[in-house]
Amino acid sequence: MPPVVQKEPTGCGIAACAALAGLDYETVRTRAAALGIHASDRTLWSDTPHVRRLLRALEIDTDPNERPFTGWQDIPDRALLAIKWRLIDGVPFWHWVVFVREAGESVVLDSKAALKNNVRRDFGRMKPKWWIEIGPA
């Protein structure tokens, strides 16, 4: 699964959905806009309903629960991760990334445009707070 780079500073949720769907950012941004979902909406990265609704529209199933991060080995083969989790004025915010385990190799697809490589293997540097399991492809 190739990574998708976000085209907007706050478009990590849209880019994560695009990567999971195997689509480009613009296509998924257009689909999101038709659902009333925009990268500029702070709830896209401070709550899960928008991303879940967008994934559902892309025919991708998600587990209804967020699971606390306990270790990389505990994450299923496909999951959305909340990293860079923080509170701002009492409201949680995070950066969405995609965890993928294929053929015995685990990677994180990080949509941040400033990265030299959007396929990350530096697991010790990332500090996930929780994850959402993604259904079968």
Side-chain angles (χ1 to χ4, degrees), residues 97-123:
V97 295
V98 176
F99 176 85
V100 181
R101 186 180 297 113
E102 294 177 323
E105 182 183 20
S106 298
V107 297
V108 169
L109 307 178
D110 190 332
S111 63
K112 185 175 178 179
L115 293 174
K116 288 182 182 179
N117 188 348
N118 297 95
V119 178
R120 296 181 63 179
R121 293 174 180 85
D122 57 334
F123 298 106

PDB file of all heavy atoms in Angstrom, residues 97-123:
ATOM      1  N   VAL A  97      -2.186   8.536  11.032  1.00  0.00           N
ATOM      2  CA  VAL A  97      -1.281   7.766  10.175  1.00  0.00           C
ATOM      3  C   VAL A  97      -1.883   6.375   9.992  1.00  0.00           C
ATOM      4  O   VAL A  97      -2.781   5.972  10.734  1.00  0.00           O
ATOM      5  CB  VAL A  97       0.153   7.674  10.751  1.00  0.00           C
ATOM      6  CG1 VAL A  97       0.822   9.046  10.794  1.00  0.00           C
ATOM      7  CG2 VAL A  97       0.163   7.021  12.121  1.00  0.00           C
ATOM      8  N   VAL A  98      -1.358   5.635   9.014  1.00  0.00           N
ATOM      9  CA  VAL A  98      -1.848   4.293   8.719  1.00  0.00           C
ATOM     10  C   VAL A  98      -0.756   3.285   9.058  1.00  0.00           C
ATOM     11  O   VAL A  98       0.383   3.431   8.600  1.00  0.00           O
ATOM     12  CB  VAL A  98      -2.239   4.154   7.237  1.00  0.00           C
ATOM     13  CG1 VAL A  98      -2.668   2.727   6.910  1.00  0.00           C
ATOM     14  CG2 VAL A  98      -3.338   5.145   6.878  1.00  0.00           C
ATOM     15  N   PHE A  99      -1.107   2.275   9.843  1.00  0.00           N
ATOM     16  CA  PHE A  99      -0.199   1.164  10.130  1.00  0.00           C
ATOM     17  C   PHE A  99      -0.561   0.015   9.205  1.00  0.00           C
ATOM     18  O   PHE A  99      -1.741  -0.311   9.051  1.00  0.00           O
ATOM     19  CB  PHE A  99      -0.353   0.719  11.592  1.00  0.00           C
ATOM     20  CG  PHE A  99       0.483  -0.478  11.936  1.00  0.00           C
ATOM     21  CD1 PHE A  99       1.810  -0.328  12.302  1.00  0.00           C
ATOM     22  CD2 PHE A  99      -0.051  -1.759  11.893  1.00  0.00           C
ATOM     23  CE1 PHE A  99       2.590  -1.435  12.615  1.00  0.00           C
ATOM     24  CE2 PHE A  99       0.712  -2.866  12.205  1.00  0.00           C
ATOM     25  CZ  PHE A  99       2.036  -2.704  12.568  1.00  0.00           C
ATOM     26  N   VAL A 100       0.460  -0.585   8.582  1.00  0.00           N
ATOM     27  CA  VAL A 100       0.242  -1.710   7.673  1.00  0.00           C
ATOM     28  C   VAL A 100       1.285  -2.784   7.955  1.00  0.00           C
ATOM     29  O   VAL A 100       2.481  -2.484   8.064  1.00  0.00           O
ATOM     30  CB  VAL A 100       0.380  -1.278   6.189  1.00  0.00           C
ATOM     31  CG1 VAL A 100       0.120  -2.450   5.260  1.00  0.00           C
ATOM     32  CG2 VAL A 100      -0.545  -0.130   5.862  1.00  0.00           C
ATOM     33  N   ARG A 101       0.815  -4.025   8.070  1.00  0.00           N
ATOM     34  CA  ARG A 101       1.715  -5.171   8.182  1.00  0.00           C
ATOM     35  C   ARG A 101       1.424  -6.072   6.988  1.00  0.00           C
ATOM     36  O   ARG A 101       0.318  -6.590   6.852  1.00  0.00           O
ATOM     37  CB  ARG A 101       1.478  -5.920   9.496  1.00  0.00           C
ATOM     38  CG  ARG A 101       2.468  -7.031   9.748  1.00  0.00           C
ATOM     39  CD  ARG A 101       2.201  -7.767  11.073  1.00  0.00           C
ATOM     40  NE  ARG A 101       2.350  -6.907  12.232  1.00  0.00           N
ATOM     41  CZ  ARG A 101       1.337  -6.540  13.038  1.00  0.00           C
ATOM     42  NH1 ARG A 101       0.106  -6.937  12.807  1.00  0.00           N
ATOM     43  NH2 ARG A 101       1.547  -5.762  14.074  1.00  0.00           N
ATOM     44  N   GLU A 102       2.416  -6.212   6.106  1.00  0.00           N
ATOM     45  CA  GLU A 102       2.283  -7.050   4.912  1.00  0.00           C
ATOM     46  C   GLU A 102       3.549  -7.879   4.752  1.00  0.00           C
ATOM     47  O   GLU A 102       4.658  -7.344   4.884  1.00  0.00           O
ATOM     48  CB  GLU A 102       2.088  -6.198   3.649  1.00  0.00           C
ATOM     49  CG  GLU A 102       0.790  -5.437   3.609  1.00  0.00           C
ATOM     50  CD  GLU A 102       0.665  -4.540   2.384  1.00  0.00           C
ATOM     51  OE1 GLU A 102       1.667  -3.953   1.947  1.00  0.00           O
ATOM     52  OE2 GLU A 102      -0.459  -4.446   1.878  1.00  0.00           O
ATOM     53  N   ALA A 103       3.366  -9.150   4.437  1.00  0.00           N
ATOM     54  CA  ALA A 103       4.494 -10.058   4.178  1.00  0.00           C
ATOM     55  C   ALA A 103       5.535  -9.992   5.293  1.00  0.00           C
ATOM     56  O   ALA A 103       6.741  -9.988   5.043  1.00  0.00           O
ATOM     57  CB  ALA A 103       5.122  -9.743   2.826  1.00  0.00           C
ATOM     58  N   GLY A 104       5.062  -9.889   6.537  1.00  0.00           N
ATOM     59  CA  GLY A 104       5.952  -9.885   7.687  1.00  0.00           C
ATOM     60  C   GLY A 104       6.642  -8.567   7.963  1.00  0.00           C
ATOM     61  O   GLY A 104       7.424  -8.466   8.903  1.00  0.00           O
ATOM     62  N   GLU A 105       6.379  -7.541   7.174  1.00  0.00           N
ATOM     63  CA  GLU A 105       6.987  -6.235   7.398  1.00  0.00           C
ATOM     64  C   GLU A 105       5.940  -5.235   7.862  1.00  0.00           C
ATOM     65  O   GLU A 105       4.845  -5.166   7.303  1.00  0.00           O
ATOM     66  CB  GLU A 105       7.641  -5.704   6.116  1.00  0.00           C
ATOM     67  CG  GLU A 105       8.321  -4.372   6.351  1.00  0.00           C
ATOM     68  CD  GLU A 105       8.913  -3.760   5.097  1.00  0.00           C
ATOM     69  OE1 GLU A 105       8.512  -4.138   3.982  1.00  0.00           O
ATOM     70  OE2 GLU A 105       9.764  -2.868   5.241  1.00  0.00           O
ATOM     71  N   SER A 106       6.285  -4.468   8.890  1.00  0.00           N
ATOM     72  CA  SER A 106       5.395  -3.432   9.410  1.00  0.00           C
ATOM     73  C   SER A 106       5.930  -2.058   9.032  1.00  0.00           C
ATOM     74  O   SER A 106       7.135  -1.809   9.132  1.00  0.00           O
ATOM     75  CB  SER A 106       5.292  -3.530  10.934  1.00  0.00           C
ATOM     76  OG  SER A 106       4.745  -4.767  11.312  1.00  0.00           O
ATOM     77  N   VAL A 107       5.018  -1.184   8.599  1.00  0.00           N
ATOM     78  CA  VAL A 107       5.376   0.197   8.280  1.00  0.00           C
ATOM     79  C   VAL A 107       4.245   1.115   8.720  1.00  0.00           C
ATOM     80  O   VAL A 107       3.110   0.679   8.915  1.00  0.00           O
ATOM     81  CB  VAL A 107       5.647   0.416   6.766  1.00  0.00           C
ATOM     82  CG1 VAL A 107       6.843  -0.405   6.301  1.00  0.00           C
ATOM     83  CG2 VAL A 107       4.429   0.123   5.938  1.00  0.00           C
ATOM     84  N   VAL A 108       4.571   2.373   8.853  1.00  0.00           N
ATOM     85  CA  VAL A 108       3.578   3.412   9.098  1.00  0.00           C
ATOM     86  C   VAL A 108       3.624   4.353   7.897  1.00  0.00           C
ATOM     87  O   VAL A 108       4.700   4.824   7.504  1.00  0.00           O
ATOM     88  CB  VAL A 108       3.858   4.179  10.410  1.00  0.00           C
ATOM     89  CG1 VAL A 108       2.993   5.420  10.505  1.00  0.00           C
ATOM     90  CG2 VAL A 108       3.620   3.267  11.605  1.00  0.00           C
ATOM     91  N   LEU A 109       2.460   4.582   7.311  1.00  0.00           N
ATOM     92  CA  LEU A 109       2.326   5.521   6.198  1.00  0.00           C
ATOM     93  C   LEU A 109       1.934   6.871   6.792  1.00  0.00           C
ATOM     94  O   LEU A 109       0.845   7.021   7.333  1.00  0.00           O
ATOM     95  CB  LEU A 109       1.266   5.036   5.213  1.00  0.00           C
ATOM     96  CG  LEU A 109       1.446   3.603   4.698  1.00  0.00           C
ATOM     97  CD1 LEU A 109       0.298   3.230   3.773  1.00  0.00           C
ATOM     98  CD2 LEU A 109       2.788   3.419   4.026  1.00  0.00           C
ATOM     99  N   ASP A 110       2.842   7.811   6.727  1.00  0.00           N
ATOM    100  CA  ASP A 110       2.644   9.137   7.316  1.00  0.00           C
ATOM    101  C   ASP A 110       2.509  10.153   6.188  1.00  0.00           C
ATOM    102  O   ASP A 110       3.410  10.306   5.363  1.00  0.00           O
ATOM    103  CB  ASP A 110       3.830   9.477   8.215  1.00  0.00           C
ATOM    104  CG  ASP A 110       3.621  10.709   9.064  1.00  0.00           C
ATOM    105  OD1 ASP A 110       2.849  11.610   8.653  1.00  0.00           O
ATOM    106  OD2 ASP A 110       4.243  10.790  10.133  1.00  0.00           O
ATOM    107  N   SER A 111       1.406  10.847   6.143  1.00  0.00           N
ATOM    108  CA  SER A 111       1.087  11.751   5.031  1.00  0.00           C
ATOM    109  C   SER A 111       1.768  13.112   5.102  1.00  0.00           C
ATOM    110  O   SER A 111       1.631  13.911   4.180  1.00  0.00           O
ATOM    111  CB  SER A 111      -0.427  11.964   4.985  1.00  0.00           C
ATOM    112  OG  SER A 111      -0.860  12.611   6.175  1.00  0.00           O
ATOM    113  N   LYS A 112       2.504  13.386   6.152  1.00  0.00           N
ATOM    114  CA  LYS A 112       3.105  14.715   6.324  1.00  0.00           C
ATOM    115  C   LYS A 112       3.996  15.060   5.132  1.00  0.00           C
ATOM    116  O   LYS A 112       4.948  14.341   4.804  1.00  0.00           O
ATOM    117  CB  LYS A 112       3.911  14.770   7.618  1.00  0.00           C
ATOM    118  CG  LYS A 112       4.460  16.135   7.931  1.00  0.00           C
ATOM    119  CD  LYS A 112       5.148  16.141   9.274  1.00  0.00           C
ATOM    120  CE  LYS A 112       5.724  17.519   9.547  1.00  0.00           C
ATOM    121  NZ  LYS A 112       6.376  17.560  10.861  1.00  0.00           N
ATOM    122  N   ALA A 113       3.711  16.176   4.487  1.00  0.00           N
ATOM    123  CA  ALA A 113       4.407  16.564   3.256  1.00  0.00           C
ATOM    124  C   ALA A 113       5.891  16.842   3.477  1.00  0.00           C
ATOM    125  O   ALA A 113       6.696  16.638   2.568  1.00  0.00           O
ATOM    126  CB  ALA A 113       3.722  17.778   2.643  1.00  0.00           C
ATOM    127  N   ALA A 114       6.289  17.281   4.649  1.00  0.00           N
ATOM    128  CA  ALA A 114       7.679  17.665   4.897  1.00  0.00           C
ATOM    129  C   ALA A 114       8.615  16.467   5.098  1.00  0.00           C
ATOM    130  O   ALA A 114       9.834  16.649   5.131  1.00  0.00           O
ATOM    131  CB  ALA A 114       7.744  18.571   6.124  1.00  0.00           C
ATOM    132  N   LEU A 115       8.080  15.275   5.207  1.00  0.00           N
ATOM    133  CA  LEU A 115       8.934  14.110   5.427  1.00  0.00           C
ATOM    134  C   LEU A 115       9.706  13.751   4.163  1.00  0.00           C
ATOM    135  O   LEU A 115       9.171  13.821   3.051  1.00  0.00           O
ATOM    136  CB  LEU A 115       8.093  12.904   5.854  1.00  0.00           C
ATOM    137  CG  LEU A 115       7.418  12.989   7.214  1.00  0.00           C
ATOM    138  CD1 LEU A 115       6.507  11.777   7.422  1.00  0.00           C
ATOM    139  CD2 LEU A 115       8.448  13.074   8.324  1.00  0.00           C
ATOM    140  N   LYS A 116      10.944  13.306   4.324  1.00  0.00           N
ATOM    141  CA  LYS A 116      11.733  12.833   3.184  1.00  0.00           C
ATOM    142  C   LYS A 116      11.183  11.515   2.674  1.00  0.00           C
ATOM    143  O   LYS A 116      11.236  11.231   1.487  1.00  0.00           O
ATOM    144  CB  LYS A 116      13.198  12.660   3.576  1.00  0.00           C
ATOM    145  CG  LYS A 116      13.925  13.966   3.780  1.00  0.00           C
ATOM    146  CD  LYS A 116      15.377  13.727   4.122  1.00  0.00           C
ATOM    147  CE  LYS A 116      16.069  15.047   4.371  1.00  0.00           C
ATOM    148  NZ  LYS A 116      17.470  14.862   4.733  1.00  0.00           N
ATOM    149  N   ASN A 117      10.676  10.698   3.583  1.00  0.00           N
ATOM    150  CA  ASN A 117      10.108   9.404   3.217  1.00  0.00           C
ATOM    151  C   ASN A 117       8.812   9.220   4.004  1.00  0.00           C
ATOM    152  O   ASN A 117       8.837   9.236   5.233  1.00  0.00           O
ATOM    153  CB  ASN A 117      11.097   8.277   3.526  1.00  0.00           C
ATOM    154  CG  ASN A 117      10.644   6.944   2.982  1.00  0.00           C
ATOM    155  OD1 ASN A 117       9.496   6.783   2.556  1.00  0.00           O
ATOM    156  ND2 ASN A 117      11.545   5.982   2.998  1.00  0.00           N
ATOM    157  N   ASN A 118       7.711   9.030   3.325  1.00  0.00           N
ATOM    158  CA  ASN A 118       6.414   8.900   3.989  1.00  0.00           C
ATOM    159  C   ASN A 118       6.130   7.484   4.458  1.00  0.00           C
ATOM    160  O   ASN A 118       5.102   7.239   5.074  1.00  0.00           O
ATOM    161  CB  ASN A 118       5.302   9.393   3.066  1.00  0.00           C
ATOM    162  CG  ASN A 118       5.462  10.859   2.756  1.00  0.00           C
ATOM    163  OD1 ASN A 118       6.042  11.211   1.738  1.00  0.00           O
ATOM    164  ND2 ASN A 118       4.997  11.720   3.641  1.00  0.00           N
ATOM    165  N   VAL A 119       7.033   6.552   4.168  1.00  0.00           N
ATOM    166  CA  VAL A 119       6.946   5.195   4.701  1.00  0.00           C
ATOM    167  C   VAL A 119       7.921   5.138   5.868  1.00  0.00           C
ATOM    168  O   VAL A 119       9.138   5.181   5.696  1.00  0.00           O
ATOM    169  CB  VAL A 119       7.302   4.137   3.633  1.00  0.00           C
ATOM    170  CG1 VAL A 119       7.238   2.739   4.235  1.00  0.00           C
ATOM    171  CG2 VAL A 119       6.364   4.245   2.439  1.00  0.00           C
ATOM    172  N   ARG A 120       7.365   5.051   7.069  1.00  0.00           N
ATOM    173  CA  ARG A 120       8.186   5.138   8.281  1.00  0.00           C
ATOM    174  C   ARG A 120       8.388   3.774   8.927  1.00  0.00           C
ATOM    175  O   ARG A 120       7.483   2.954   8.986  1.00  0.00           O
ATOM    176  CB  ARG A 120       7.534   6.091   9.287  1.00  0.00           C
ATOM    177  CG  ARG A 120       7.456   7.512   8.774  1.00  0.00           C
ATOM    178  CD  ARG A 120       6.842   8.442   9.772  1.00  0.00           C
ATOM    179  NE  ARG A 120       7.645   8.521  10.988  1.00  0.00           N
ATOM    180  CZ  ARG A 120       7.331   9.287  12.037  1.00  0.00           C
ATOM    181  NH1 ARG A 120       6.234  10.029  12.004  1.00  0.00           N
ATOM    182  NH2 ARG A 120       8.093   9.307  13.106  1.00  0.00           N
ATOM    183  N   ARG A 121       9.607   3.589   9.425  1.00  0.00           N
ATOM    184  CA  ARG A 121       9.953   2.387  10.177  1.00  0.00           C
ATOM    185  C   ARG A 121      10.612   2.760  11.513  1.00  0.00           C
ATOM    186  O   ARG A 121      11.138   1.896  12.196  1.00  0.00           O
ATOM    187  CB  ARG A 121      10.895   1.508   9.352  1.00  0.00           C
ATOM    188  CG  ARG A 121      10.228   0.929   8.118  1.00  0.00           C
ATOM    189  CD  ARG A 121      11.221   0.176   7.235  1.00  0.00           C
ATOM    190  NE  ARG A 121      10.558  -0.370   6.064  1.00  0.00           N
ATOM    191  CZ  ARG A 121      10.340   0.296   4.935  1.00  0.00           C
ATOM    192  NH1 ARG A 121      10.732   1.556   4.820  1.00  0.00           N
ATOM    193  NH2 ARG A 121       9.734  -0.282   3.918  1.00  0.00           N
ATOM    194  N   ASP A 122      10.579   4.036  11.850  1.00  0.00           N
ATOM    195  CA  ASP A 122      11.200   4.538  13.079  1.00  0.00           C
ATOM    196  C   ASP A 122      10.208   4.445  14.240  1.00  0.00           C
ATOM    197  O   ASP A 122       9.811   5.443  14.827  1.00  0.00           O
ATOM    198  CB  ASP A 122      11.720   5.962  12.879  1.00  0.00           C
ATOM    199  CG  ASP A 122      10.640   6.941  12.431  1.00  0.00           C
ATOM    200  OD1 ASP A 122       9.649   6.517  11.804  1.00  0.00           O
ATOM    201  OD2 ASP A 122      10.785   8.148  12.714  1.00  0.00           O
ATOM    202  N   PHE A 123       9.819   3.220  14.570  1.00  0.00           N
ATOM    203  CA  PHE A 123       8.752   2.988  15.543  1.00  0.00           C
ATOM    204  C   PHE A 123       9.055   3.584  16.919  1.00  0.00           C
ATOM    205  O   PHE A 123       8.137   3.984  17.624  1.00  0.00           O
ATOM    206  CB  PHE A 123       8.462   1.493  15.649  1.00  0.00           C
ATOM    207  CG  PHE A 123       7.984   0.909  14.351  1.00  0.00           C
ATOM    208  CD1 PHE A 123       8.811   0.097  13.586  1.00  0.00           C
ATOM    209  CD2 PHE A 123       6.715   1.188  13.874  1.00  0.00           C
ATOM    210  CE1 PHE A 123       8.379  -0.421  12.381  1.00  0.00           C
ATOM    211  CE2 PHE A 123       6.266   0.675  12.674  1.00  0.00           C
ATOM    212  CZ  PHE A 123       7.108  -0.137  11.924  1.00  0.00           C
TER     213      PHE A 123
END
